[in-house]
C-alpha cells in the first residue's frame, strides 16, 4: 500500500530535471483542458528535452491562470497564435474530439509536431485525410511527427501483457472499463454529440485499441452494439455506456463494455484473453513421445489496462491436459498460475532490454512522451502508433457507432 501511494505521489509530483540547453522541444498547449496537466505538464517536468513553453485558451484569463499555476512562461490569445509562433516546435491538442481534426490539420500545415489526444478525430474519413496529409510523408525533408496520445499503450504493463498473448490462438477476449458517475457531469464534453462525445469515443476506445493489439488484426465485423444514454431528449446521440461484440479474422470473438456513469467505487479496467487449446511439448524429460500429447489452454488477464500506474496485475493461468493420442483419453490435468507486474521495462523482463529504462513512477503519459521525443529527435522507438493504426482505430469506432444505431460522430466542416 505504501509502495503504491509513494509511486502515485511521485508520478503526480515528479522530480524536475534540468533542461537541455539547445535541444529541448518547446511545446504549446491548445486549450486549458483538464487532461493537460497530467498528459503533458507533469511528464515534461522529468524530461530533460521537453519544455512547456506556451498555452492559449478561448478565454485569456483562463490561460493566464493555467500558466501561472503550472509555470508556463508564455500565454497566447488564440490557438492559431501558438501555431504561428516560430519558438514552438510541438503542440499538445486536448480539445474536444470534434476539434481534433481541424487543429491537427492546422498544426501539421504549420510544420508543428503534434501530440493529439485520443480519439484522434471524429470519424475514419477524417483520420484518412489527417494522417494522409502530404506534409507528413516520409519523402518530405523533415516531416512533422504526429501521434494519437494513446498513453496506456506505452506503459510496460500493457506491453508485458501482450507478450504473454499469442494473437493467432486467441479464441475470446472480454474487456471492461469504467469511470465513476461523480467524475462525469451531464454537461461535460463527454456527452456532447456536436463535440464528438460518447462513451465509446472517450473510454471504449481504450478497450477497442487493446482488442486490436491482442488479435494483432482489425475486426471483421461488429456483431452487436447496445448503448445506454441519459434518455433526456437532449443527449440522445451520446452513449453513457455500451456493450459491443466483435468478430476477428481468426474466428475469435471479443466483447467490450464501458460505462462513464459507473458506480461510486473505481473498478480497474480488465482484459481477459482466452486462448484456444494448443499442443505444447510434453512435460518431463523432453524426449519425443509417440503415444501422448499435452495441450494447453491459456487465460491471460490484465487488470488495469487504462491507468496501470495506479495499480495493475497480470494473471496467467495455464490449464494442461495430457492425453493419449490413440483415443484422446485424458490421462492427467493440471494448472500452472502466475502473476506479474511491470512498472518498468526492466521489471517486464529481459525481452524488453532495448526499451527505455524509465522509473517505476513514470505514468503512461511519461512513457509516451519519451517515445514522442525519440521520434522527433530521429532516434529509434520501441513502441509507436502509426497513422495507419489510428485510421484503423477510427474504423472500429465507426463500425460500432453504426451498429449501435447512434450513427457516426459529426464530420468537421474545416477544409
Ligand atoms: N489521455 C487521457 O487520459 C484523457 C484524454 N482525454 C481526451 O482529452 C480531450 C479533452 O478532454 P478533457 O480534458 O476532459 O476536456 P476539457 O473539457 O477539460 O477540455 C477541453 C478543452 O477544449 C477547449 N474547447 C475549445 N472549444 C470548446 C468547446 N466548443 N467546448 C468545450 N471546450 C472547448 C477548452 O479550452 P479553453 O481552455 O480554450 O476554453 C477546454 O479546455 C478529449 O479529446 C478527451 O478524449 C480526456 C480525459 C483523459
Ligand atoms: O481518456 C480517458 O480516460 C479516463 C476518462 O475519465 C476520460 O473521460 C477519458 O477520456
Amino acid at each position: 500500500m505504501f509502495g503504491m501511494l509513494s509511486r502515485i505521489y511521485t508520478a503526480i509530483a515528479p522530480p524536475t530535471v534540468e533542461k537541455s540547453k539547445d535541444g529541448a522541444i518547446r511545446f504549446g498547449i491548445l486549450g486549458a483542458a483538464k487532461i493537460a496537466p497530467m498528459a503533458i505538464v507533469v511528464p515534461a517536468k522529468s524530461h530533460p528535452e521537453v519544455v512547456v513553453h506556451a498555452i492559449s485558451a478561448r478565454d485569456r484569463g483562463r490561460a493566464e491562470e493555467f500558466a501561472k499555476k503550472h509555470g508556463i512562461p508564455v500565454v497566447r490569445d488564440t490557438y492559431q497564435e501558438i501555431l504561428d509562433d516560430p519558438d514552438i516546435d510541438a503542440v499538445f491538442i486536448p480539445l474536444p474530439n470534434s476539434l481534433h481534426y481541424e487543429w491537427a490539420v492546422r498544426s501539421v500545415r504549420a510544420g508543428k509536431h503534434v501530440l493529439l489526444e485520443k480519439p484522434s478525430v471524429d470519424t475514419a474519413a477524417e483520420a484518412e485525410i489527417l494522417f494522409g496529409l502530404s506534409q507528413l510523408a516520409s519523402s518530405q525533408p523533415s516531416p512533422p511527427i504526429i501521434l494519437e496520445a494513446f498513453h496506456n499503450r506505452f506503459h510496460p504493463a500493457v506491453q508485458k501483457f501482450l507478450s504473454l498473448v499469442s494473437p493467432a490462438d486467441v479464441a475470446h477476449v472480454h474487456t471492461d472499463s469504467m469511470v465513476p458517475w461523480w467524475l462525469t457531469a451531464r454537461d461535460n464534453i463527454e456527452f456532447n454529440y456536436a463535440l464528438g462525445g460518447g462513451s465509446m469515443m472517450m473510454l471504449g476506445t481504450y478497450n477497442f485499441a487493446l482488442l486490436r493489439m491482442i488479435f494483432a488484426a482489425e475486426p471483421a465485423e461488429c456483431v452487436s452494439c447496445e448503448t445506454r444514454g441519459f434518455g433526456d431528449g437532449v443527449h440522445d446521440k451520446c452513449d453513457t455506456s455500451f456493450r459491443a461484440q466483435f468478430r476477428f479474422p481468426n474466428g475469435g470473438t471479443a466483447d467490450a463494455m464501458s460505462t462513464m456513469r459507473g458506480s461510486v467505487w473505481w473498478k480497474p479496467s480488465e482484459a481477459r484473453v482466452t486462448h484456444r487449446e494448443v499442443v505444447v511439448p510434453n512435460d518431463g524429460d523432453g524426449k519425443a513421445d509417440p503415444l501422448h500429447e499435452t495441450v494447453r489452454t491459456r487465460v491471460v488477464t490484465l487488470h488495469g489496462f487504462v491507468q496501470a500506474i495506479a495499480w495493475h496485475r497480470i494473471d496467467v493461468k495455464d490449464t494442461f491436459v495430457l492425453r493419449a493420442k490413440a483415443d484422446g483419453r485424458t490421462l492427467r490435468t493440471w494448472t500452472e498460475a502466475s502473476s506479474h507486474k511491470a512498472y518498468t521495462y526492466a521489471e517486464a523482463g529481459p525481452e524488453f532490454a532495448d526499451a527505455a529504462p524509465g522509473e517505476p513512477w513514470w505514468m503512461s503519459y511519461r512513457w509516451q512522451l519519451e517515445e514522442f521525443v525519440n521520434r522527433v529527435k530521429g532516434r529509434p522507438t520501441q513502441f509507436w502508433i502509426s497513422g495507419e493504426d489510428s485510421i484503423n482505430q477510427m474504423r472500429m469506432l465507426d463500425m460500432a457507432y453504426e451498429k449501435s444505431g447512434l450513427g457516426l460522430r459529426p464530420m468537421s466542416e474545416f477544409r
Side-chain angles (χ1 to χ4, degrees), residues 117-118 151 179 183-184 190 202-203 206 260 306-307 365:
E117 260 310 337
K118 39 57 56 184
H151 56 102
V179 172
L183 272 176
T184 55
E190 275 99 334
M202 307 300 284
L203 192 58
Y206 290 107
M260 300 205 67
V306 179
Q307 292 292 1
Y365 308 97

Side-chain angles (χ1 to χ4, degrees), residues 119-122 148 150 199-202 204-205 208 246 392-402 408:
S120 60
V121 283
D122 260 11
E148 180 179 9
F150 252 123
S199 66
M200 283 190 269
M201 293 291 274
M202 307 300 284
T205 192
F208 290 6
F246 295 92
N392 285 329
Q393 177 69 14
M394 288 314 303
R395 288 190 180 130
M396 188 166 178
L397 280 162
D398 279 8
M399 210 184 237
Y401 270 111
E402 271 176 339
L408 301 186

Side-chain angles (χ1 to χ4, degrees), residues 31-36 38-39 56-59 62 79 94-97 99-100 117-119 149 151 189-190 195 201-202 206 307 365:
K34 287 197 288 288
I35 190 57
M38 193 149 80
S56 63
R58 291 171 299 171
D59 169 58
R62 202 171 132 74
Y79 303 152
L95 298 171
N97 304 334
L99 296 176
H100 288 186
E117 260 310 337
K118 39 57 56 184
H151 56 102
I189 61 167
E190 275 99 334
L195 296 180
M201 293 291 274
M202 307 300 284
Y206 290 107
Q307 292 292 1
Y365 308 97

Side-chain angles (χ1 to χ4, degrees), residues 14 69 73 76 82 101 108 118 120 133 155 169 209 217 233 252 278 288 327 341 362 370-371 392 399 411:
K69 183 168 177 192
R76 298 280 176 218
I82 297 249
Y101 172 79
V108 169
K118 39 57 56 184
S120 60
L133 285 174
H155 195 278
D169 301 322
V278 290
D327 55 6
K341 60 184 169 65
W362 276 16
E370 186 76 8
E371 291 292 62
N392 285 329
M399 210 184 237
M411 277 281 278

Side-chain angles (χ1 to χ4, degrees), residues 26-48:
R26 282 156 307 182
F27 264 87
I29 306 178
L30 308 191
K34 287 197 288 288
I35 190 57
M38 193 149 80
I40 186 74
V41 175
V42 170
K45 286 184 200 296
S46 65
H47 201 306

